[in-house]
DNA sequence: GACCTTCTCACCTACGTGTTAAGC
DNA sequence: TCGCTTAACACGTAGGTGAGAAGG
């Protein structure tokens, strides 16, 4: 916990945006498509900050960590363990492009990671792409580092936040029809597949 | 000029991309549209770096400076001075989003400012938008600062580069028909106005 | 009227969707 | 056959063009 010059303390907190949507997906076990070229997550990962020192500099990072060491399969309408998964490799961090930036700035606006992509091809890894395995469970995480020095980030203490309702199983094609329905109903880019003429954004 | 630990010297140089295209426009006096919401420049401003210290950190900036204090008009097929222009205000710098970054990284790829926009409305100024007056001459410039500290940029020595063939007159509607033809012939977004079925990108 | 600005429009690029069929 | 992956596709969103009409 950091202390400013006057002695009062700051404890950064992270608030998940669109949590109602995330919970709708989570209730039927969220699936995320992974492709060679990279696929966005939906819902998009967006958060709000509070409790930061307005005058201090922070870096905000994201990563996607393995939930366990299992491989999964979708059988008889549910996800079950299907043997040992791929070895967990420490995931590279994605540094939010606004970093470094003052606490005041971070707290002012929604911090979006919606451009992040999931890929299953080493060759196509680039900034903003997470290399992960299909049929595995993952958990996105947010990290906050109180520093203005991007180069020594790895040496600094880090606060980590994770929201259980954002965990997901990776797939190359949707397994659960309910997930497909939720994606089509809520993702504007999938509007072409809606049966009704819903105009809701 | 900077010196590294072994005593050898580095002198960053900037190379303009698409210079042939820029010169085609320049030959008939380049015009750039300026709008309330902001309009991109075409050709896009792109450069390559060389001569940097691969291991040093640099920031790269862009600005758009007034060429003179005149207002211009297009008369009898050419641009002529039409009285005193608006007072020159020091232009805000646009910090390239990759900043700060190592010389090695900067030199590896083309550095693009194609998303920069020109606006004539104060209200709509935002990051990546330059507020400038219509019917004035301007000159884009590149600045290189050897530092990894974005916060003290203004205190550091700066190397400035400008390419005369990228100077332009601002307009709210094209004045010279030859400019319109060149824009339509070369800008992919204007392909709808090409008479032939040219597929050239 | 002459000159400049603003707005709406059709038409394009670029790319995010799930679908489907083919591949392994 | 079965399970999973890939690539081409139609159909969206999002936004960059100059044209042309309207406004000042």
């Amino acid at each position: 916990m950091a202390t400013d010059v006057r002695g009062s303390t700051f404890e950064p907190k992270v608030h998940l945006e669109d949590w109602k949507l995330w919970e709708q997906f989570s209730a039927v076990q969220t699936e995320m498509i992974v492709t060679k070229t990279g696929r966005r997550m939906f819902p998009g990962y967006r958060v709000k900050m509070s409790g930061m020192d307005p005058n201090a500099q922070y870096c905000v990072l994201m990563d996607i960590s393995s939930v366990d060491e299992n491989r999964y399969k979708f059988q008889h309408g549910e996800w079950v363990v299907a043997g040992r998964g791929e070895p967990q490799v420490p995931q590279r961090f994605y540094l939010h492009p606004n970093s470094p930036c003052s606490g005041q700035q971070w707290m002012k606006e929604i911090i979006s990671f919606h451009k992040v992509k999931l890929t299953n091809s080493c060759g196509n890894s680039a900034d903003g792409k997470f290399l992960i395995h299909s049929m595995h469970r993952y958990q996105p995480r947010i990290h906050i580092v109180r520093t203005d020095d991007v180069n020594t980030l790895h040496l600094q203490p880090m606060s980590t936040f994770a929201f259980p309702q954002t965990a997901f199983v990776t797939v190359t094609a949707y397994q659960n029809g309910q997930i497909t329905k939720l994606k089509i109903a809520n993702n504007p880019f999938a509007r072409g597949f809606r049966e009704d003429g819903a105009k809701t954004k």
Side-chain angles (χ1 to χ4, degrees), chain A:
Chain A
M1 198 178 302
T3 305
D4 80 354
V5 288
R6 294 186 305 272
S8 60
T9 55
F10 292 98
E11 189 180 351
K13 287 209 171 66
V14 182
H15 172 261
L16 177 67
E17 293 289 308
D18 313 312
W19 60 273
K20 275 194 173 177
L21 188 56
W22 277 105
E23 289 192 347
Q24 283 184 58
F25 279 88
S26 190
V28 287
Q29 178 61 264
T30 311
E31 298 174 25
M32 294 289 179
I33 298 248
V34 55
T35 67
K36 256 175 78 174
T37 54
R39 194 78 149 191
R40 284 191 186 174
M41 303 194 317
F42 187 88
Y45 202 82
R46 308 192 307 155
V47 296
K48 258 192 168 174
M49 298 289 176
S50 62
M52 285 175 154
D53 180 349
N55 301 312
Q57 295 287 311
Y58 295 89
C59 288
V60 174
L61 302 93
M62 180 188 182
D63 75 349
I64 295 183
S65 67
S66 301
V67 167
D68 53 41
E69 301 196 334
N70 299 322
R71 165 179 291 276
Y72 287 84
K73 62 179 174 183
F74 190 71
Q75 206 166 44
H76 312 306
E78 61 177 8
W79 285 98
V80 293
V81 175
R84 193 163 190 77
E86 302 287 334
Q88 300 187 16
V89 285
Q91 193 51 257
R92 278 184 52 183
F93 289 118
Y94 169 74
L95 180 66
H96 191 284
N98 288 5
S99 306
C101 176
S102 70
Q104 184 175 32
Q105 273 295 324
W106 284 121
M107 293 189 290
K108 240 178 16 191
E109 51 193 16
I110 291 176
I111 303 163
S112 177
F113 295 88
H114 73 282
K115 282 187 179 173
V116 155
K117 289 188 175 182
L118 311 181
T119 178
N120 55 359
S121 162
C122 320
N124 291 25
S125 82
D127 199 40
K129 289 190 189 174
F130 289 107
L131 176 60
I132 54 186
H133 298 108
S134 187
M135 299 292 155
H136 286 62
R137 286 199 81 203
Y138 290 96
Q139 167 72 65
R141 297 187 303 184
I142 290 293
H143 311 276
I144 303 176
V145 184
R146 189 185 166 118
T147 179
D148 63 348
D149 187 356
V150 175
N151 302 306
T152 60
L153 263 182
H154 55 290
L155 303 174
Q156 308 294 330
M158 189 179 263
S159 307
T160 297
F161 301 84
F163 304 96
Q165 64 268 50
T166 60
F168 56 82
V169 181
T170 45
V171 295
T172 54
Y174 292 127
Q175 302 296 309
N176 186 345
Q178 296 181 70
I179 287 296
T180 311
K181 279 182 190 165
L182 277 171
K183 299 256 184 180
I184 292 176
N186 294 282
N187 188 335
F189 287 108
R191 186 160 294 160
F193 301 101
R194 292 186 194 163
E195 293 185 1
D196 57 359
K199 302 285 183 190
T200 316
K201 283 224 170 181

